[in-house]
Amino acid sequence: MTFTTSDEVVVDTALLAGFADVLGSRSDTFAVPVIFRVTVILAHEAMDSGTVPSDGIVHTAESLRVRRQPRVGDRLTGLLTVEEIHHRGGATQLLVRSDIMADGEVAPIAVTTSTLAFRTEGTG
């Protein structure tokens, strides 16, 4: 099962400045917030499909590997892949991987992995 971003995220100075304002910094690169923006889009695609509920989700594990920082001018897209599904004790656990791609590059600039848990519908 895979999901892709519906629109690309264009990394521009306004996007970076917004994160700088929130974080109280003057840095021009913020890998985690920019990458997180793409992963949020992917999560909404999975929720809109009905595969993942829109509430009651718990992140039980998460990791991020960054190959390179997003840069001004990058056009980022993402691919979320559900790698494993487990049903235990009335809950469903999904192991998902999100590959964050910059236009024109073969390898992802970042990869996140998450384990998401939510109550399986119809169980106590």
Side-chain angles (χ1 to χ4, degrees):
M1 202 175 335
T2 61
F3 302 91
T4 58
T5 51
S6 52
D7 296 310
E8 60 190 16
V9 172
V10 178
V11 180
D12 58 17
T13 54
L15 177 63
L16 294 176
F19 289 124
D21 289 345
V22 168
L23 298 173
S25 175
R26 295 190 185 276
S27 176
D28 62 349
T29 60
F30 290 99
V32 174
V34 173
I35 291 165
F36 180 70
R37 184 171 184 155
V38 178
T39 61
V40 167
I41 293 169
L42 290 169
H44 282 280
E45 293 293 329
M47 287 185 276
D48 291 348
S49 76
T51 302
V52 177
S54 60
D55 61 359
I57 297 174
V58 176
H59 285 248
T60 59
E62 191 151 16
S63 68
L64 169 65
R65 190 179 66 235
V66 178
R67 181 177 61 82
R68 77 155 175 87
Q69 299 282 333
R71 297 186 286 254
V72 170
D74 279 342
R75 296 179 176 280
L76 305 179
T77 57
L79 173 68
L80 182 143
T81 304
V82 177
E83 295 191 324
E84 295 179 26
I85 302 172
H86 300 281
H87 301 285
R88 294 185 179 116
T92 298
Q93 290 182 321
L94 301 177
L95 176 63
V96 299
R97 184 186 79 240
S98 296
D99 296 312
I100 311 304
M101 304 296 295
D103 59 320
E105 294 192 30
V106 177
I109 66 165
V111 176
T112 67
T113 56
S114 302
T115 302
L116 309 174
F118 52 90
R119 184 167 304 281
T120 303
E121 193 171 311
T123 62

